[in-house]
């Protein structure tokens, strides 16, 4: 038991370093915990501990720290079609002026699931999930295009989602 406490304190210290840009540097144990949770988000901490060589308590602390640092989230991922959202689209947005202000406004919209500021043909890409085509039209035409600074939009309506995975975090 005492060795678990020492190992836990030592492991906690190792995983808390930050890189020069302020993002957490993850050690092999933290990456292992993330992999375990990506395989099964409901996996018990005791089982994760066995896989990564820590006690259940140490895993619980690591998971909480990873959540607090924003390194990961534990959520139920749904298929939008099965919960009543029949229309998805990626919207490319060109902006005049402050791109970050537009990105911030987009993040406040419930229908916007994903916002990324880019270099290239568009200043921003936003993934939109809506109930139907009328809802999508309303979001694009009356809300996104109405934002001050939005110069143009181009919509890429999803016909079929072939792959959606969240397993890329530790490869």
């Amino acid at each position: 038991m005492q060795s678990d406490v020492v190992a836990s304190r030592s492991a906690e210290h190792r995983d808390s370093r930050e890189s020069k840009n302020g993002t957490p540097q993850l050690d092999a144990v933290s990456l292992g915990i993330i992999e375990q949770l990506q395989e099964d988000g409901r996996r018990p901490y005791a089982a994760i501990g066995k896989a990564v060589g820590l006690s259940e308590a140490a895993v619980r602390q690591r998971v909480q720290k990873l959540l607090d640092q924003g390194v990961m989230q534990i959520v139920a991922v749904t298929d939008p079609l099965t919960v009543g959202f029949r229309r998805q689209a990626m919207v490319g947005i060109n902006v005049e002026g402050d791109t970050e202000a537009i990105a911030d406004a987009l993040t406040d919209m419930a229908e916007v699931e994903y916002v990324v500021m880019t270099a290239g043909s568009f200043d921003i890409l936003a993934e939109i999930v809506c109930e139907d085509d009328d809802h999508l039209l309303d979001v694009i035409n009356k809300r996104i295009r109405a934002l001050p600074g939005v110069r143009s939009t181009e919509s890429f309506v999803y016909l079929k989602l072939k792959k959606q995975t969240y397993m890329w975090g530790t490869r």
Side-chain angles (χ1 to χ4, degrees), residues 5-22:
V5 172
V6 172
S8 172
R9 287 184 185 144
S10 176
E12 183 179 333
H13 177 70
R14 282 194 309 271
D15 81 316
S16 64
R17 289 178 284 178
E18 290 188 356
S19 66
K20 291 178 184 175
N21 66 4

Side-chain angles (χ1 to χ4, degrees), residues 39-99:
E39 289 173 12
D40 180 358
R42 299 185 310 163
R43 184 164 289 156
Y45 291 148
I48 295 170
K50 284 182 183 177
V52 300
L54 290 179
S55 70
E56 179 179 348
V59 170
R60 186 179 312 278
Q61 288 175 342
R62 286 276 190 122
V63 168
Q64 189 59 54
K65 187 170 188 176
L66 291 167
L67 293 169
D68 292 344
Q69 291 176 323
V71 171
M72 67 177 191
Q73 300 174 6
I74 300 174
V75 298
V77 178
T78 60
D79 175 355
L81 289 173
T82 63
V83 292
F85 296 99
R86 304 267 181 242
R87 180 56 67 214
Q88 291 178 267
M90 184 66 67
V91 179
I93 303 165
N94 286 309
V95 174
E96 291 178 9
D98 188 0
T99 303

